[in-house]
Amino acid sequence: MWMMSVMTTVVCGVAALVLLTAGNRAGTDYPQLFGRILQFSAFVSAVVSLVLLGAVLKVRSEPPPAAVTWFAVVVALLTIGAAFLH
């Protein structure tokens, strides 16, 4: 469940980035609105992934690989930072 929330954060974050930087090419506000909804979804899943990371590190007898853990932390912190900047 922890890795699923990390991957959800990545997918929603990338899709939000694409939609929010694409501008208003369609002539409507729907791409921007959908981008903001995806950005919020990425924010929520980033917070969930950080909470679940704490549970994974406490419950598992063998911790996940360091590279995977650092990737998850960096993705979550970048997503949370981007939500506050935009």
Side-chain angles (χ1 to χ4, degrees):
M1 190 165 161
W2 165 59
M3 285 308 298
M4 181 64 88
S5 66
V6 172
M7 293 312 297
T8 302
T9 303
V10 171
V11 170
C12 287
V14 169
L17 179 69
V18 167
L19 286 171
L20 291 174
T21 58
N24 195 0
R25 294 183 187 161
T28 64
D29 292 332
Y30 294 123
Q32 293 286 322
L33 177 64
F34 189 55
R36 292 192 193 279
I37 291 171
L38 283 173
Q39 187 177 19
F40 177 73
S41 300
F43 175 80
V44 170
S45 64
V47 171
V48 168
S49 72
L50 287 177
V51 170
L52 289 175
L53 175 61
V56 164
L57 292 176
K58 184 172 181 153
V59 172
R60 276 185 72 171
S61 58
E62 184 177 329
V68 173
T69 303
W70 280 108
F71 174 76
V73 169
V74 168
V75 164
L77 292 178
L78 285 175
T79 303
I80 291 170
F84 284 116
L85 288 176
H86 197 277

